[in-house]
Amino acid sequence: MSTDEAARTQAAVEKVAADVERAALDGEVVARRSNDPATIEAEIARRREHLAATVDELVERAHPKALAARGVEDAKGRLQAAVYTPQGDLRAERVGAVAAAVALFVLLSVVLRRRRRKG
């Protein structure tokens, strides 16, 4: 899990905790305002649905496939930012540097392989 994903997950957990605390306080206010069992039951059902939806969202965010998909999207975004300027122009100097590094790697691999065969 990357640092950004961990921070987003931590923020989501803190939001859930705050929602639960707020719901508990709101529930106490509703309970104090109304002694009607139907009103209290309706409020409990509403809070339960809200909490279930929040937990489902956390489970979805923490699912390995979702984490992998976010990682791929982050990598694509970083590659896009490295290769193109914010205006959409190609960063030729960076692309050229990467191409030169790849060419050097291939050249060294070929040279080392030939030396091993002769040696």
Side-chain angles (χ1 to χ4, degrees):
M1 181 181 288
S2 74
T3 307
D4 291 339
E5 291 168 350
R8 283 192 296 250
T9 302
Q10 180 63 31
V13 167
E14 289 172 1
K15 180 180 180 282
V16 168
D19 286 349
V20 168
E21 185 176 331
R22 189 171 34 256
L25 293 175
D26 290 348
E28 288 176 17
V29 170
V30 168
R32 278 188 253 140
R33 276 192 270 163
S34 174
N35 289 332
D36 178 31
T39 303
I40 295 170
E41 287 175 8
E43 181 64 21
I44 290 171
R46 187 178 71 78
R47 299 289 179 176
R48 187 176 292 134
E49 288 176 21
H50 177 70
L51 184 58
T54 305
V55 169
D56 289 345
E57 181 182 343
L58 285 174
V59 167
E60 185 178 313
R61 284 185 185 184
H63 194 273
K65 285 184 180 179
L67 292 173
R70 281 197 303 272
V72 168
E73 288 303 316
D74 288 346
K76 284 181 181 179
R78 286 192 305 270
L79 179 64
Q80 187 77 11
V83 175
Y84 293 97
T85 65
Q87 295 78 23
D89 298 329
L90 185 65
R91 296 179 193 245
E93 69 282 356
R94 289 185 181 178
V95 174
V98 170
V102 169
L104 182 61
F105 176 75
V106 170
L107 179 65
L108 285 174
S109 297
V110 169
V111 168
L112 291 174
R113 193 171 293 161
R114 285 188 181 176
R115 282 190 180 178
R116 283 187 204 146
R117 287 183 186 170
K118 288 181 181 181

